[in-house]
Amino acid sequence: MNRYNRTVFLILGLLFQGINVFSQKPTSYVNPLIGAGGHGHVFLGANVPFGAVQVGPSNIFKGWDWCSGYHYSDSIIIGFPQTHLSGTGGSDLGDVLIMPFTGTIKTDKGVQNNHSIGYSSLFSHSTEKVRPGYYRVVLDDYKIAVELTASERVAFHQYQFPNDNKDAHIIVDLKEGINDKPTDTYIKLLNDTTLVGYRFSSGWANKQQLYFAVILSQPITQFNIYTNDTLVNGVSGRSPNIKGVMDFKRNPGVIKLKVGISPVSEENALANIAFEIPHWDFNAIAQQADDKWNKELSKIKVETDNETDRRIFYTALYHTMIDPTLFNDYNNDYRGTDKKVYRNAPFKNYTIFSLWDTYRALHPLYTIFQPEKVNDIVNSMLAIYQQQGKLPIWHLMGCESNLMPGISGVQVVVEAYMKKFKGFDTQLAYEAVKNSMLNNDGYRGLKYLKTLHYIPYEATRESVARTMEYGISDGSIAVMARQLNQKEDFDLFTERSKYYKNYFDPATLFFKGRDSSGKCNPQFDPLKSSRPWINDYCEGNAWEYTWLAPQDVEGIISLLGGDKKFARRLDYFFNTPLPHDPKAPPDIAGLVGMYAHGNEPGHHNIYLYAYVGQQWKTAEKARYILHELYKDSTDGISGNEDCGQMSAWYILSSLGFYPVFPANCAYVIGSPLFNKAVIQLPEGKTFVITAINNSPSNVYIQNVKLNGKPYDKTYIMHQDIMQGGELEFVMGSKPNKKYGKAKENRPKSTY
């Protein structure tokens, strides 16, 4: 056989094995601009998976849609900070803003209607290039081309200055952040190519401490320090509003900056640079970033003829790995919630835990495709528990914001234990989940659960939402207690998990706030989506909160009158338009009837049909949401991305299943979007999902096989996925109403 024939034979052999030798890298399918407009609030810039650095452009802050610092509708860049949030409904970070400029020295960013009085610049989207790990833009006012890439703890900037004989400058503005307040800032020139300093600030993260170091590829010819606009003598300066301006020779060509950050010290920031980027090869670091993204994105491979669906999928997968972020140094030093420094920790410490959002789908997704991260995430949470007395709620840069109802870190820890992760202290984990719920009486109404068995609305706003979220935590602990043979705890937390029923009003079939005497809140209208009518709920109305007891779906079914009445009420919920309310929170978005997909409390709602034997309705609505509420466009996310939760919903639902109650280790089956998906698992195993006769019209499951055998259940257990194998769906254009109708084949709240 000659060389040509051998080559052809090899290629044909690979194709017959199902390997597409001409497939592109997964990063080529990622469109980071999805969600950069609308209300997506996603980060746009350069980072690596779960990296501490998110370096990218920031605009002048103009309100809610600039929570990430950048919005696609804008045309002004004020600079390139090293940290950003992604997809949140709150604003913060934007630390250590760096901006190159030419001409007259300016020490302020300017204002929206007159940016040219400051160092800000206009830019055009036509010069923006962005892919995972890389960002490029031209600053129109200065004709400076800016390129950014990153490692885990170091941002790499590359500025191409024009050959125009204007003075070249770079400012480090420590006053600027994204809607926060600097409390103490410091900068020092160590030598003509090195700066160090810190930025302490108060905002959403109430006592943030960030240290930094900057190393330049060219020497600084002059360095001036300012407090606001006032010149400070010397090579160092400290105040709440410090700025350092570096001058360079005219026409400096390319100037590169390596910017290391650390939660611990300037010395560690310098060491992070030395460890992660010891050279000046920008392209090599950009390639390393691309390789890191491709490695993670390749863990799930999908086959489809629809290129738009492919881009949405891989962009969603990309968005699930921006947060949480590392919050330590290369040597594992980190600063705890108690502000103490912990040296050489035996785990990788993480922060940015948007847990009210992410316990629902993002953390369950990690247990499948990022299992190597789960133990470190749990250990980070257990350390937070030891430092602040409760598991994290909404944890940001070593600070507990206490935002959102519930103590949702409980669900993440229990889920990890129930899914047999062993890399953390089980006794400490059980102590943490119990004490977080039992020994925090002063925290937002918890004490009332011991006496009234509900939280009265006069005690705290969002009383119904809080009790329901606490109930999900309690139900999760009950599952863990049963596994640990803790009968007394099992009984206690099972009882507490059903306290949500104390809000039920049988006359209206809604969960309504009650005062301490038991009387329902008279300020009630289930069709209203604004305050004061939603004061007892959180970012949703009474209709949305009808379904929020995933730990006891059977209990809700019973309260609503049984399977048929439950299904009819769900039908009404999804098929009846929500009346327009101009004062409704913007989070109530992505509407399907009264269901708001843009907000997290209802993310499991479409999967509840399977509990009453009507899985086909779940399939129908899953496909509708996947196609209609996720788009390949800047406004392609129907609400805030919320640190990966919106995207995690898409990933899991497009694979064909979703975790209604993560602690029970089950995933309820929906409707697979792709012809084939292959999930890479530990130990070289794979889990393959195929959809035969799949098409946009063939959304209904006709029958299922698991590992070649008929599978009649409308749920699949975590261990079935993780042991590897194949889940085969046969799809059709008409419902098979027998699939999942029998009670023994329906999902349950506990197994």
Side-chain angles (χ1 to χ4, degrees):
M1 184 181 293
N2 62 37
R3 181 179 299 175
Y4 174 81
N5 287 336
R6 283 199 304 269
T7 302
V8 171
F9 183 82
L10 175 61
I11 292 173
L12 289 173
L14 290 172
L15 290 173
F16 281 123
Q17 292 176 43
I19 301 172
N20 183 358
V21 296
F22 304 109
S23 63
Q24 295 176 283
K25 292 181 178 180
T27 49
S28 68
Y29 301 121
V30 175
N31 176 9
L33 290 171
I34 292 176
H39 301 316
H41 299 181
V42 301
F43 161 66
L44 189 77
N47 65 332
V48 296
F50 306 99
V53 160
Q54 310 87 34
V55 58
S58 280
N59 314 130
I60 294 173
F61 184 81
K62 290 179 284 296
W64 190 62
D65 277 331
W66 279 260
C67 285
S68 73
Y70 174 99
H71 194 268
Y72 193 77
S73 64
D74 217 316
S75 59
I76 297 172
I77 286 176
I78 65 172
F80 304 93
Q82 317 315 300
T83 62
H84 291 83
L85 291 168
S86 184
T88 57
S91 52
D92 205 334
L93 306 190
D95 298 294
V96 193
L97 180 144
I98 299 177
M99 181 67 168
F101 63 102
T102 60
T104 304
I105 290 178
K106 300 172 183 178
T107 57
D108 186 75
K109 66 181 182 296
V111 294
Q112 185 68 28
N113 59 3
N114 191 6
H115 77 279
S116 60
I117 64 172
Y119 52 71
S120 299
S121 173
L122 294 172
F123 75 103
S124 169
H125 294 306
S126 65
T127 68
E128 279 188 306
K129 293 183 179 178
V130 57
R131 62 178 186 266
Y134 175 83
Y135 176 85
R136 182 186 187 277
V137 73
V138 174
L139 302 176
D140 289 344
D141 288 29
Y142 311 114
K143 303 299 184 286
I144 298 173
V146 174
E147 292 179 280
L148 306 171
T149 189
S151 61
E152 280 72 15
R153 301 167 185 86
V154 184
F156 202 156
H157 301 233
Q158 181 166 275
Y159 306 148
Q160 175 70 60
F161 282 82
N163 189 21
D164 59 4
N165 285 321
K166 291 183 179 179
D167 293 332
H169 317 285
I170 299 174
I171 187 170
V172 179
D173 192 338
L174 301 180
K175 175 183 178 181
E176 290 300 323
I178 301 173
N179 198 34
D180 69 356
K181 180 181 179 181
T183 56
D184 186 13
T185 63
Y186 173 76
I187 198 166
K188 181 178 181 179
L189 179 69
L190 291 185
N191 56 54
D192 63 1
T193 58
T194 308
L195 307 172
V196 295
Y198 60 74
R199 184 176 192 266
F200 297 172
S201 59
S202 178
W204 192 355
N206 56 353
K207 292 182 180 179
Q208 185 189 350
Q209 299 181 20
L210 187 75
Y211 298 84
F212 69 91
V214 181
I215 300 178
L216 296 108
S217 63
Q218 289 195 33
I220 303 165
T221 59
Q222 184 171 338
F223 181 65
N224 290 317
I225 299 172
Y226 299 82
T227 294
N228 285 323
D229 299 323
T230 302
L231 185 65
V232 177
N233 292 325
V235 296
S236 67
R238 177 184 176 189
S239 83
N241 303 301
I242 281 291
K243 307 170 185 188
V245 178
M246 297 169 269
D247 300 338
F248 299 87
K249 65 180 181 181
R250 290 195 173 187
N251 306 325
V254 174
I255 298 180
K256 302 178 184 182
L257 298 82
K258 295 183 286 191
V259 187
I261 64 172
S262 165
V264 173
S265 67
E266 300 158 8
E267 293 76 14
N268 276 18
L270 280 167
N272 288 340
I273 296 174
F275 180 78
E276 294 185 3
I277 308 182
H279 55 76
W280 287 105
D281 191 337
F282 180 92
N283 292 335
I285 298 303
Q287 184 59 56
Q288 286 180 21
D290 188 71
D291 291 343
K292 290 172 183 177
W293 280 112
N294 278 310
K295 178 183 176 182
E296 302 306 320
L297 293 167
S298 295
K299 291 180 178 180
I300 306 179
K301 299 179 180 179
V302 298
E303 293 183 11
T304 179
D305 298 326
N306 189 316
E307 289 302 304
T308 297
D309 287 346
R310 193 195 309 273
R311 283 194 298 274
I312 293 171
F313 179 89
Y314 281 107
T315 305
L317 199 59
Y318 163 76
H319 282 149
T320 67
M321 293 181 280
I322 295 177
D323 298 314
T325 65
L326 286 167
F327 192 65
N328 68 353
D329 295 317
Y330 83 98
N331 60 2
N332 276 5
D333 291 355
Y334 76 95
R335 189 178 300 275
T337 305
D338 54 7
K339 303 309 172 189
K340 296 178 182 178
V341 173
Y342 293 83
R343 302 288 182 185
N344 193 26
F347 60 91
K348 293 181 179 179
N349 189 56
Y350 285 88
T351 190
I352 307 186
F353 291 125
S354 180
L355 292 164
W356 181 82
D357 306 293
T358 58
Y359 83 83
R360 305 170 201 269
L362 182 69
H363 288 281
L365 177 63
Y366 289 163
T367 67
I368 297 174
F369 101 110
Q370 290 288 328
E372 69 280 2
K373 300 286 193 304
V374 172
N375 287 321
D376 284 332
I377 288 172
V378 171
N379 279 312
S380 299
M381 292 184 176
L382 295 180
I384 291 168
Y385 158 72
Q386 292 176 308
Q387 294 157 15
Q388 69 178 25
K390 62 179 181 286
L391 285 165
I393 295 163
W394 213 122
H395 209 257
L396 175 58
M397 306 301 277
C399 303
E400 181 56 75
S401 73
N402 288 306
L403 188 71
M404 311 309 292
I407 304 180
S408 301
V410 169
Q411 286 91 298
V412 176
V413 173
V414 171
E415 179 188 19
Y417 171 78
M418 294 302 298
K419 290 180 176 177
K420 303 188 184 307
F421 286 88
K422 303 295 185 183
F424 53 87
D425 185 331
T426 297
Q427 183 176 348
L428 177 61
Y430 191 55
E431 173 195 316
V433 297
K434 281 182 58 179
N435 287 350
S436 293
M437 297 306 298
L438 296 180
N439 295 342
N440 281 283
D441 287 352
Y443 181 74
R444 293 186 175 174
L446 267 175
K447 63 182 179 181
Y448 294 101
L449 297 184
K450 296 180 179 179
T451 55
L452 296 177
H453 299 170
Y454 66 92
I455 301 172
Y457 67 78
E458 72 267 28
T460 179
R461 202 159 74 171
E462 302 178 342
S463 59
V464 174
R466 294 189 191 286
T467 301
M468 286 185 149
E469 292 290 349
Y470 293 149
I472 299 169
S473 296
D474 288 331
S476 300
I477 299 172
V479 171
M480 188 174 183
R482 182 179 62 184
Q483 188 72 18
L484 292 170
N485 296 315
Q486 299 290 328
K487 174 104 176 28
E488 186 176 336
D489 286 344
F490 170 74
D491 292 340
L492 170 64
F493 286 103
T494 298
E495 179 185 0
R496 285 168 56 101
S497 73
K498 298 180 181 180
Y499 286 170
Y500 74 92
K501 293 182 179 181
N502 293 322
Y503 289 118
F504 188 69
D505 176 18
T508 61
L509 302 182
F510 287 109
F511 296 101
K512 302 168 68 172
R514 296 183 184 273
D515 64 18
S516 54
S517 69
K519 293 180 180 178
C520 289
N521 190 342
Q523 193 79 59
F524 179 79
D525 186 335
L527 295 178
K528 295 286 188 181
S529 298
S530 59
R531 302 195 185 281
W533 295 278
I534 64 169
N535 281 358
D536 294 336
Y537 313 101
C538 178
E539 300 180 4
N541 62 11
W543 267 108
E544 195 75 62
Y545 278 83
T546 298
W547 324 102
L548 190 58
Q551 77 283 8
D552 185 32
V553 177
E554 296 81 5
I556 299 180
I557 293 170
S558 178
L559 288 175
L560 295 180
D563 291 357
K564 291 182 179 180
K565 290 183 178 180
F566 178 88
R568 283 200 297 268
R569 196 161 178 84
L570 263 181
D571 289 342
Y572 186 82
F573 173 65
F574 282 109
N575 296 328
T576 304
L578 182 69
H580 177 65
D581 188 339
K583 296 182 179 180
D587 308 81
I588 302 176
L591 295 175
V592 182
M594 291 186 284
Y595 167 67
H597 186 68
N599 209 20
E600 280 70 20
H603 269 189
H604 66 292
N605 287 356
I606 67 168
Y607 290 91
L608 297 180
Y609 280 111
Y611 289 75
V612 291
Q614 297 186 14
Q615 192 281 337
W616 62 276
K617 292 181 180 177
T618 290
E620 185 178 74
K621 289 168 178 58
R623 279 293 187 96
Y624 177 84
I625 293 170
L626 288 166
H627 274 137
E628 298 300 322
L629 297 182
Y630 292 86
K631 301 292 184 182
D632 183 17
S633 62
T634 59
D635 62 347
I637 302 173
S638 59
N640 302 158
E641 168 59 25
D642 285 316
C643 296
Q645 169 60 24
M646 288 292 290
S647 288
W649 189 99
Y650 181 93
I651 296 299
L652 288 165
S653 293
S654 69
L655 293 175
F657 44 77
Y658 186 84
V660 170
F661 180 43
N664 71 10
C665 303
Y667 304 88
V668 180
I669 290 172
S671 178
L673 181 62
F674 300 106
N675 300 336
K676 185 177 182 180
V678 180
I679 305 172
Q680 302 295 326
L681 301 173
E683 301 176 358
K685 298 176 183 177
T686 60
F687 189 72
V688 181
I689 302 159
T690 57
I692 298 170
N693 298 329
N694 186 37
S695 72
S697 60
N698 289 359
V699 305
Y700 301 106
I701 296 170
Q702 306 302 299
N703 57 72
V704 183
K705 289 182 180 178
L706 179 61
N707 298 326
K709 297 179 181 179
Y711 190 79
D712 297 324
K713 294 178 173 57
T714 52
Y715 63 91
I716 185 170
M717 302 303 293
H718 182 75
Q719 60 266 30
D720 292 328
I721 295 173
M722 299 308 290
Q723 69 186 9
E726 182 174 5
L727 184 65
E728 179 186 281
F729 297 96
V730 176
M731 310 302 294
S733 61
K734 295 181 180 179
N736 173 11
K737 296 183 180 180
K738 293 182 180 180
Y739 172 59
K741 185 175 182 179
K743 286 194 174 183
E744 63 269 21
N745 293 325
R746 302 176 190 177
K748 300 179 291 185
S749 297
T750 57
Y751 295 88

